[in-house]
Amino acid sequence: MKKTVFVISFSLALFGAEYLSAQGDYPKDAQPGKCYAKCMIPDQYEDVVQRIEIKPATQRVEIVPAKYETIVERIEIKPATSRIEIIPAQFETRMERIEVKPATKRYEVVPAKYEIRAERVEKVAASKKIVEVPAEYETVTERVMLSPATTKWVKRRGDVQCLSANPDDCIVWCLVDVPAQYQTVTKTRQVQGASAREVQIPAEYGTIMKSFVVEPATVVEIPVPAEYKTITKTVMVEPAKTVEVPVPAEYKEVSKTVMVSPPNSYVVEIPAEYKTVTTRKLVKEGGFSEWREVICGSNLTLPKIREIQNALKLRGYDPGPSDNVLGPMTKSALVNFQKDNNLPVGQLDIETLKALGVSEK
């Protein structure tokens, strides 16, 4: 099925020029100096991995026996009691400070403070005046476009990059630049028109000396501290009292065996067993591609053909001898490489060059 579609793609190229003119089917967003062609895209597949159950999940019951341990227990052999004790009163000698004359206060007048300062005063007020500014001119040279740049399509037959045995089976259209035409003229133009500007005339100042009050006169209050003397006396710190003193209980330690956890049972889950099966699924049917960029004939040099042959050999495809000739073996190897890598088939397009690691220039 794929061989039949591949032959049809080359047959359609025979009437490419008439089809382009009738349908207006040109490459979109084409760039000058690049070439474009339609190719065959093979079917695309992907591997689908499925996980299949080969043994269902089950359960088993396991018994956990009871656990015991030996502990040491503390047993009271004589209960706690108490006894009464008398604590005598406690005294100490202290030094006490007593006031013999209370505190008072007096008032004093603090005179004002002055200082001489220089003060800046305005003698002549600021003003402004109007100044005329003349117009400015310059001579400039301009490049005037007589006709704009354009592009035109050029049809080329029998491109050597065609992978068909008959080069007339492939037609490539190239977009070529037509440069713009210019003329240089000289003229005088005004850079800036005549105007008037306002000039500020600053004010004039002088300095005079003045006396200023730094701190006004005040009245301050001065405290007069009280007078004290120290006396010695004996005082009771703590009165006599009785206290109850506890007598702790007496204990002894005995050993005994106790059950820490009772016997138990639990269910163990046994997981299901699976195996992985891989199947191949068609994800996209092939067919004729949209316009693709292809290498132009002027760029398919002898060193470029040799670089393509070497890249095919590195990837396990036999292009025949590295003879710088795009012969039948090299074209067959390119087609096999395009099919194996889901690339458009039938032209030496830029996508195939990138997959081979070969530059387009």
Side-chain angles (χ1 to χ4, degrees), residues 5-39:
V5 175
F6 179 65
V7 173
I8 291 173
S9 70
F10 286 127
S11 299
L12 287 174
L14 292 174
F15 56 89
E18 291 77 6
Y19 180 80
L20 284 172
S21 60
Q23 302 295 327
D25 184 14
Y26 289 101
K28 295 181 180 179
D29 301 323
Q31 298 180 19
K34 293 189 177 182
C35 300
Y36 304 84
K38 288 195 173 184
C39 307

Side-chain angles (χ1 to χ4, degrees), residues 35 38 66 72 86 88 150 318 353:
C35 300
K38 288 195 173 184
V72 176
I86 298 174
T150 60
D318 184 13
L353 290 180

